[in-house]
């Protein structure tokens, strides 16, 4: 069983559309994250939830809205997609919210905005 | 601002040699440093974590050092194999800061 799974793997869409990426973890972890990896391979944190509560909210456009229905799921909804949103988005989880926790990543969603 | 630099975007070495990757940081006092491996089309996978009061950490053929004076970590893979070819990311964190990642070094081991 995949520990952290996210869907879809690939997402190709037109500018202005709204899309969602789903993530689920079966590790029993309390904390989940969304990271964005740009073309230069930098991984930047976008959001983090601990037991369904938002604990990290980086400087991300309001068009990005995370939702955590329970601690095993963290979805990312993006409104009015722009060309600059094209990147690989990774979901991750960790046992707790402590800063030294190791992260378990999903396999990524490659978003291409045309 | 906090900055992490990993040496050279790409590193090519001969199979059997020791690969050494560097992670340098500025304007930061991390308490923990982690190394991850990322294969194409996959998410990063955790390898090792080292604390600021630890000089060295080993796991099988992997060795990590952490020098808070030089603000540098070295990641070594001994007896390298083609299967070790991947991108390696370092990540720093402290009690006052979330985890931040470097851009990675792409390692290629040629037979």
């Amino acid at each position: 069983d995949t520990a952290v799974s996210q869907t879809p793997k690939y997402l190709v869409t037109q500018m202005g559309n709204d899309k969602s990426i789903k993530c689920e973890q079966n590790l029993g972890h309390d904390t989940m994250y969304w990271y964005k990896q740009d073309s230069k391979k930098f991984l930047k944190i976008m959001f983090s939830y601990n037991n369904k509560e938002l604990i990290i909210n980086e400087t991300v456009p309001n068009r990005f809205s995370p939702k955590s229905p329970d601690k095993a799921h963290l979805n990312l909804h993006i409104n009015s997609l722009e060309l600059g949103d094209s990147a690989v988005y990774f979901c991750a989880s960790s046992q707790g919210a402590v800063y030294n926790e190791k992260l378990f990543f999903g396999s990524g969603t490659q978003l291409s905005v045309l | 601002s906090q900055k992490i630099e990993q040496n050279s975007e790409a590193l090519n070495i001969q199979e059997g040699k020791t690969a050494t990757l560097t992670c340098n940081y500025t304007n930061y006092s991390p308490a923990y440093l982690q190394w991850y491996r990322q294969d194409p089309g996959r998410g990063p996978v955790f390898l090792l974590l080292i604390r600021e009061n630890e000089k060295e950490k080993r796991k099988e053929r992997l060795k990590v050092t952490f020098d808070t004076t030089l603000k540098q970590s070295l990641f070594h893979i001994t007896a390298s194999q083609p299967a070790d070819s991947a991108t390696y990311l370092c990540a720093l964190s402290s009690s006052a800061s979330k985890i931040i990642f470097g851009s990675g070094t792409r390692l290629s081991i040629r037979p």
Side-chain angles (χ1 to χ4, degrees), chain A residues 10-109:
Chain A
Y10 300 97
L11 190 50
V12 182
T13 188
Q14 299 287 331
M15 267 195 328
N17 284 349
D18 302 339
K19 291 293 178 185
S20 293
I21 308 172
K22 295 186 176 182
C23 180
E24 176 182 2
Q25 54 96 3
N26 63 4
L27 296 168
H29 287 170
D30 289 336
T31 308
M32 296 185 73
Y33 311 79
W34 278 111
Y35 277 84
K36 179 181 180 180
Q37 189 169 44
D38 60 25
S39 57
K40 294 186 177 179
K41 303 300 182 185
F42 276 104
L43 263 173
K44 292 181 182 176
I45 191 166
M46 300 172 69
F47 303 102
S48 176
Y49 273 75
N50 181 252
N51 277 319
K52 300 195 301 176
E53 283 193 35
L54 182 65
I55 57 172
I56 295 176
N57 185 355
E58 288 299 288
T59 308
V60 175
N62 291 337
R63 300 181 293 103
F64 290 79
S65 53
K67 279 192 173 54
S68 182
D70 55 62
K71 73 174 193 176
H73 295 84
L74 180 62
N75 304 322
L76 182 66
H77 188 76
I78 315 169
N79 289 327
S80 303
L81 278 155
E82 300 178 358
L83 292 175
D85 297 332
S86 296
V88 182
Y89 292 84
F90 287 99
C91 176
S93 72
S94 62
Q95 182 63 56
V98 184
Y99 50 90
N100 62 338
E101 297 278 356
K102 62 182 181 184
L103 301 173
F104 293 78
F105 285 87
S107 57
T109 295

Side-chain angles (χ1 to χ4, degrees), chain A residues 9 37 58 99-101 103, chain B residues 32 34 36 38 41 49 93:
Chain A
K9 174 73 174 172
Q37 189 169 44
E58 288 299 288
Y99 50 90
N100 62 338
E101 297 278 356
L103 301 173
Chain B
Y32 297 87
Q34 302 182 33
Y36 288 79
Q38 186 173 20
L49 178 148
S93 61

